[in-house]
Amino acid sequence: MLSPTPLSLFCAVLLCFPLAVIITITSPTTTVPGGTGDDSIPNLVPPSVSHQRFSSKPLNLPLHDEDSLLRVASRVNSKLPPGSLKKIAFLYLTMSPLPFAPLWEVYLNQTPKNLFNVYLHADPSYPYHPPFSGVFAHRVIPSKPALRFTPTLASAARRLLAHALLHDRSNYMFVLLSANCIPIHSFNFTYETLTRSKKSFIEILKNEVGSFDRWAARGQDAMLPVVKLEDFRIGSQFWSLTRKHARLVVGDEMVWARFNQPCVVWDTCYPEENYFPTLLHMRDPRGVVPVTLTHVDWNGSFDGHPRMYVESEITRQLISRLRNDKPRYGDDGTKGSDSPITQGRHFPFLFARKFSPESVLPLLKIASDFIFKD
């Protein structure tokens, strides 16, 4: 057999080089959890079971590439699979442990698992010990710190929506909740209320006191020309969005770019209460019921926080009062002709906040035979 000459070897290398380049470019990149890069986020579940975070394999996108995550999520199918049951996606946004996890366990463990999904955004800088368990085990999405008076709380909600959209095409209604939220009706009651609606439930308030200060918190002209003062809206941080509106939120770039700026006046900076109602008012005002279904009492509020119910206040009478309270309807962009108010239709509160951690025990005592029996 003839020995290869230097010239023949050089030609062979030239022929193979393009193929090597193609293989290198198209090979998938593996992201190592707990890496030491600047954008690495600590894994909030044991590494040995981290692959069980979702029941189906999530999209392999690096956390720092959030633009790609949101863009891909905005392109998922807007319709549920034929013949599938509608699911509620419970989106928990927390910067601390979940004091009412035992109550949610009772609420969700009595429910068929094919009717809901749980997603948890947990601040990675907080030491969660013991780790989340039960219905919250392995449900933590890749998370980033979320702080008041910054766009990070709204960004966390967008991140929750993106992961829920990518995870399960059967997710129909997306409900944002805090660590201090509790359910005040049975799951069946809540499920029927939400899945029968073709509209989102989000508070949209027009010409509220302080609207200008909130609009100008990033600077006098920072919101222009995209968000004019007359388009600016205020609302509760907690909402229930349809699949259509979840896709709208994660796909929005223009309005989000105005809200995703640091504020120069921090004490009037509440992007999580302004971005979502403003966006939906601007893009699809007729597609919403302008009300939040999460009850809150602002009487006696302090430092921007609503009243907190303490352990001694937890009674059946309190839950009944919260259920029977009338939600405040805002601006739905319908000129009044087909608004829920003119039709005489009032939706009930399904959740409530804010409760002290110690109130979980009296709540559990009345959960099975009262709160979840309606």
Side-chain angles (χ1 to χ4, degrees):
M1 183 173 64
L2 295 175
S3 299
T5 66
L7 180 60
S8 62
L9 288 174
F10 180 72
C11 292
V13 170
L14 287 178
L15 289 172
C16 294
F17 181 74
L19 180 60
V21 171
I22 292 172
I23 293 173
T24 301
I25 292 174
T26 57
S27 295
T29 301
T30 301
T31 302
V32 180
T36 58
D38 292 339
D39 293 313
S40 63
I41 298 295
N43 203 348
L44 300 183
V45 297
S48 59
V49 295
S50 61
H51 64 282
Q52 299 176 4
R53 181 172 294 164
F54 296 109
S55 56
S56 61
K57 187 177 180 181
L59 191 68
N60 184 23
L61 284 174
L63 179 60
H64 66 268
D65 191 12
E66 191 153 309
D67 289 341
S68 295
L69 172 70
L70 297 170
R71 192 179 309 114
V72 174
S74 70
R75 295 171 181 168
V76 298
N77 200 310
S78 61
K79 297 181 180 179
L80 272 62
S84 69
L85 291 171
K86 295 177 180 177
K87 292 184 181 181
I88 298 177
F90 292 99
L91 315 177
Y92 296 85
L93 200 170
T94 182
M95 294 176 282
S96 65
L98 298 176
F100 298 100
L103 186 67
W104 287 104
E105 290 280 348
V106 177
Y107 178 76
L108 294 173
N109 280 334
Q110 300 174 352
T111 304
K113 299 298 184 286
N114 61 345
L115 297 182
F116 71 92
N117 281 306
V118 170
Y119 306 92
L120 181 59
H121 188 288
D123 190 332
S125 64
Y126 189 94
Y128 292 91
H129 298 294
F132 299 105
S133 60
V135 296
F136 299 100
H138 320 313
R139 307 309 300 170
V140 181
I141 69 165
S143 307
K144 292 183 180 180
L147 305 172
R148 292 184 72 198
F149 311 117
T150 73
T152 55
L153 285 170
S155 181
R158 282 162 53 92
R159 199 174 296 121
L160 279 163
L161 287 171
H163 281 276
L165 282 166
L166 289 168
H167 170 237
D168 195 334
R169 188 179 158 190
S170 295
N171 285 332
Y172 175 77
M173 192 72 79
F174 301 75
V175 181
L176 186 67
L177 300 159
S178 77
N180 295 310
C181 284
I182 68 164
I184 58 174
H185 282 283
S186 69
F187 179 90
N188 288 341
F189 184 95
T190 299
Y191 182 84
E192 291 298 323
T193 301
L194 292 176
T195 58
R196 285 180 179 177
S197 176
K198 295 181 179 180
K199 296 186 176 185
S200 296
F201 297 92
I202 179 170
E203 191 173 53
I204 301 179
L205 304 177
K206 181 180 181 181
N207 297 329
E208 286 289 283
V209 175
S211 290
F212 176 80
D213 292 335
R214 290 193 180 204
W215 177 79
R218 296 153 194 83
Q220 290 282 352
D221 300 323
M223 304 297 284
L224 296 174
V226 178
V227 181
K228 299 179 177 64
L229 178 59
E230 55 265 31
D231 292 325
F232 189 79
R233 295 294 184 270
I234 293 176
S236 169
Q237 178 184 357
F238 303 100
W239 32 251
S240 302
L241 300 185
T242 61
R243 188 172 185 83
K244 172 187 174 182
H245 286 156
R247 293 174 67 244
L248 172 65
V249 168
V250 299
D252 169 53
E253 296 180 2
M254 186 176 297
V255 177
W256 174 243
R258 299 297 166 176
F259 282 92
N260 191 27
Q261 303 180 70
C263 290
V264 294
V265 184
W266 66 268
D267 59 347
T268 57
C269 185
Y270 299 96
E272 68 280 1
E273 296 179 2
N274 303 141
Y275 168 66
F276 300 100
T278 298
L279 175 68
L280 291 180
H281 160 72
M282 293 177 65
R283 296 288 186 261
D284 188 21
R286 292 178 175 268
V288 305
V289 180
V291 68
T292 177
L293 300 185
T294 298
H295 186 285
V296 64
D297 186 354
W298 287 104
N299 293 319
S301 62
F302 175 75
D303 193 28
H305 294 287
R307 172 189 173 181
M308 178 179 286
Y309 300 101
V310 297
E311 183 178 4
S312 60
E313 296 179 274
I314 306 304
T315 62
R316 297 183 179 209
Q317 290 72 25
L318 172 64
I319 301 300
S320 294
R321 180 169 65 80
L322 298 180
R323 287 175 173 176
N324 295 329
D325 227 356
K326 300 298 183 185
R328 176 189 180 186
Y329 286 81
D331 173 32
D332 57 2
T334 60
K335 308 295 185 185
S337 59
D338 57 347
S339 107
I341 302 173
T342 57
Q343 290 179 339
R345 184 177 185 186
H346 294 281
F347 289 91
F349 285 113
L350 302 177
F351 312 98
R353 60 185 290 266
K354 188 174 185 180
F355 291 80
S356 67
E358 296 76 18
S359 61
V360 65
L361 291 180
L363 284 168
L364 284 170
K365 289 180 181 179
I366 62 173
S368 296
D369 61 352
F370 182 74
I371 300 178
F372 303 148
K373 222 175 199 182
D374 49 15

